[in-house]
CSV table of all heavy atoms in Angstrom, one decimal:
chain,number,residue,atom,x,y,z
A,203,PHE,N,-0.5,-5.3,26.5
A,203,PHE,CA,0.2,-6.6,26.5
A,203,PHE,C,-0.2,-7.4,25.3
A,203,PHE,O,0.7,-7.9,24.5
A,203,PHE,CB,-0.1,-7.3,27.8
A,203,PHE,CG,0.4,-8.6,27.9
A,203,PHE,CD1,1.8,-8.9,27.8
A,203,PHE,CD2,-0.4,-9.8,28.1
A,203,PHE,CE1,2.3,-10.2,27.9
A,203,PHE,CE2,0.0,-11.0,28.2
A,203,PHE,CZ,1.4,-11.2,28.0
A,204,ALA,N,-1.5,-7.6,25.0
A,204,ALA,CA,-1.9,-8.3,23.8
A,204,ALA,C,-1.4,-7.7,22.6
A,204,ALA,O,-0.9,-8.4,21.8
A,204,ALA,CB,-3.4,-8.4,23.9
A,205,GLY,N,-1.4,-6.4,22.5
A,205,GLY,CA,-0.9,-5.8,21.3
A,205,GLY,C,0.6,-6.0,21.1
A,205,GLY,O,0.9,-6.5,19.9
A,206,ILE,N,1.3,-5.8,22.1
A,206,ILE,CA,2.7,-6.0,22.0
A,206,ILE,C,3.0,-7.4,21.6
A,206,ILE,O,3.9,-7.7,20.8
A,206,ILE,CB,3.5,-5.7,23.3
A,206,ILE,CG1,3.3,-4.3,23.7
A,206,ILE,CG2,4.9,-6.1,23.3
A,206,ILE,CD1,3.6,-3.9,25.3
A,207,SER,N,2.4,-8.5,22.2
A,207,SER,CA,2.6,-9.8,21.9
A,207,SER,C,2.4,-10.2,20.5
A,207,SER,O,3.2,-10.8,19.8
A,207,SER,CB,1.7,-10.7,22.8
A,207,SER,OG,2.0,-10.4,24.2
A,208,VAL,N,1.2,-9.7,20.0
A,208,VAL,CA,0.9,-10.0,18.5
A,208,VAL,C,1.9,-9.3,17.6
A,208,VAL,O,2.3,-9.9,16.7
A,208,VAL,CB,-0.6,-9.6,18.3
A,208,VAL,CG1,-0.8,-9.9,16.8
A,208,VAL,CG2,-1.5,-10.3,19.1
A,209,TYR,N,2.1,-8.1,18.0
A,209,TYR,CA,3.2,-7.3,17.1
A,209,TYR,C,4.5,-8.1,17.1
A,209,TYR,O,5.1,-8.3,16.0
A,209,TYR,CB,3.3,-6.0,17.7
A,209,TYR,CG,4.4,-5.1,17.1
A,209,TYR,CD1,4.4,-5.1,15.7
A,209,TYR,CD2,5.2,-4.3,17.7
A,209,TYR,CE1,5.4,-4.3,15.0
A,209,TYR,CE2,6.1,-3.5,17.2
A,209,TYR,CZ,6.2,-3.4,15.7
A,209,TYR,OH,7.0,-2.7,15.1
A,210,ARG,N,4.9,-8.6,18.3
A,210,ARG,CA,6.2,-9.4,18.3
A,210,ARG,C,6.1,-10.6,17.6
A,210,ARG,O,7.0,-11.0,16.8
A,210,ARG,CB,6.7,-9.7,19.6
A,210,ARG,CG,8.0,-10.3,19.9
A,210,ARG,CD,9.1,-9.5,19.4
A,210,ARG,NE,10.2,-10.1,18.7
A,210,ARG,CZ,11.3,-9.6,18.2
A,210,ARG,NH1,11.5,-8.3,18.4
A,210,ARG,NH2,12.1,-10.2,17.6
A,211,TRP,N,4.9,-11.3,17.6
A,211,TRP,CA,4.8,-12.5,16.9
A,211,TRP,C,4.9,-12.2,15.3
A,211,TRP,O,5.6,-13.0,14.6
A,211,TRP,CB,3.3,-13.1,17.0
A,211,TRP,CG,3.0,-14.3,16.1
A,211,TRP,CD1,3.5,-15.5,16.3
A,211,TRP,CD2,2.2,-14.2,15.0
A,211,TRP,NE1,2.9,-16.3,15.3
A,211,TRP,CE2,2.1,-15.5,14.5
A,211,TRP,CE3,1.5,-13.3,14.3
A,211,TRP,CZ2,1.5,-15.8,13.3
A,211,TRP,CZ3,0.7,-13.5,13.2
A,211,TRP,CH2,0.7,-14.8,12.7
A,212,ASP,N,4.4,-11.1,14.9
A,212,ASP,CA,4.6,-10.7,13.5
A,212,ASP,C,5.9,-10.4,13.2
A,212,ASP,O,6.4,-10.9,12.1
A,212,ASP,CB,3.7,-9.4,13.4
A,212,ASP,CG,3.8,-8.8,12.0
A,212,ASP,OD1,4.1,-9.5,11.1
A,212,ASP,OD2,3.5,-7.5,11.9
A,213,ILE,N,6.7,-9.8,14.0
A,213,ILE,CA,8.0,-9.6,13.7
A,213,ILE,C,8.8,-11.0,13.7
A,213,ILE,O,9.8,-11.3,12.8
A,213,ILE,CB,8.7,-8.7,14.8
A,213,ILE,CG1,8.2,-7.4,14.7
A,213,ILE,CG2,10.3,-8.7,14.5
A,213,ILE,CD1,8.7,-6.4,15.9
A,214,ASN,N,8.5,-11.8,14.6
A,214,ASN,CA,9.1,-13.1,14.7
A,214,ASN,C,9.0,-14.1,13.5
A,214,ASN,O,9.9,-14.8,13.1
A,214,ASN,CB,8.7,-13.9,16.0
A,214,ASN,CG,9.3,-13.3,17.3
A,214,ASN,OD1,10.3,-12.6,17.2
A,214,ASN,ND2,8.8,-13.6,18.4
A,215,ILE,N,7.8,-13.9,12.9
A,215,ILE,CA,7.6,-14.7,11.7
A,215,ILE,C,8.7,-14.3,10.6
A,215,ILE,O,9.3,-15.1,10.0
A,215,ILE,CB,6.3,-14.4,11.1
A,215,ILE,CG1,5.1,-15.0,11.8
A,215,ILE,CG2,6.0,-14.9,9.6
A,215,ILE,CD1,4.7,-16.5,11.5
A,216,ARG,N,8.8,-13.0,10.5
A,216,ARG,CA,9.9,-12.5,9.6
A,216,ARG,C,11.3,-12.9,10.0
A,216,ARG,O,12.0,-13.4,9.2
A,216,ARG,CB,9.8,-10.9,9.6
A,216,ARG,CG,10.3,-10.2,8.5
A,216,ARG,CD,10.2,-8.7,8.6
A,216,ARG,NE,8.8,-8.5,9.2
A,216,ARG,CZ,8.0,-7.5,8.9
A,216,ARG,NH1,8.5,-6.6,8.0
A,216,ARG,NH2,6.8,-7.3,9.4
A,217,GLU,N,11.5,-12.9,11.3
A,217,GLU,CA,12.9,-13.3,11.7
A,217,GLU,C,13.1,-14.8,11.6
A,217,GLU,O,14.2,-15.2,11.2
A,217,GLU,CB,13.1,-12.9,13.2
A,217,GLU,CG,12.8,-11.5,13.6
A,217,GLU,CD,14.1,-10.8,13.9
A,217,GLU,OE1,14.7,-11.2,14.9
A,217,GLU,OE2,14.4,-9.9,13.1
A,218,SER,N,12.1,-15.6,11.8
A,218,SER,CA,12.2,-17.0,11.8
A,218,SER,C,12.5,-17.5,10.3
A,218,SER,O,12.9,-18.6,10.1
A,218,SER,CB,11.0,-17.7,12.4
A,218,SER,OG,9.8,-17.4,11.7
A,219,THR,N,12.2,-16.7,9.4
A,219,THR,CA,12.5,-17.1,7.9
A,219,THR,C,14.1,-17.1,7.6
A,219,THR,O,14.3,-17.8,6.7
A,219,THR,CB,11.9,-16.1,6.9
A,219,THR,OG1,12.4,-14.8,7.2
A,219,THR,CG2,10.3,-16.2,7.1
A,220,VAL,N,14.8,-16.6,8.5
A,220,VAL,CA,16.3,-16.5,8.2
A,220,VAL,C,17.1,-17.4,9.2
A,220,VAL,O,18.3,-17.6,9.0
A,220,VAL,CB,16.9,-15.1,8.2
A,220,VAL,CG1,16.2,-14.3,7.1
A,220,VAL,CG2,16.7,-14.4,9.5
A,221,LEU,N,16.4,-17.9,10.2
A,221,LEU,CA,17.2,-18.6,11.3
A,221,LEU,C,17.9,-19.8,10.7
A,221,LEU,O,18.9,-20.2,11.1
A,221,LEU,CB,16.3,-19.0,12.3
A,221,LEU,CG,15.7,-17.9,13.2
A,221,LEU,CD1,14.9,-18.5,14.3
A,221,LEU,CD2,16.8,-17.0,13.7
A,222,GLY,N,17.2,-20.4,9.6
A,222,GLY,CA,17.8,-21.6,9.0
A,222,GLY,C,19.2,-21.3,8.4
A,222,GLY,O,19.9,-22.2,8.2
A,223,LEU,N,19.6,-20.2,8.1
A,223,LEU,CA,20.8,-19.9,7.5
A,223,LEU,C,22.0,-20.2,8.4
A,223,LEU,O,23.1,-20.5,8.0
A,223,LEU,CB,20.9,-18.3,7.3
A,223,LEU,CG,20.1,-17.7,6.1
A,223,LEU,CD1,20.2,-16.2,6.1
A,223,LEU,CD2,20.4,-18.4,4.8
Side-chain angles (χ1 to χ4, degrees):
Chain A
F203 173 60
I206 295 164
S207 304
V208 176
Y209 181 40
R210 186 65 219 184
W211 173 77
D212 175 21
I213 299 176
N214 282 343
I215 289 274
R216 206 176 314 215
E217 304 255 292
S218 61
T219 57
V220 296
L221 294 181
L223 292 175

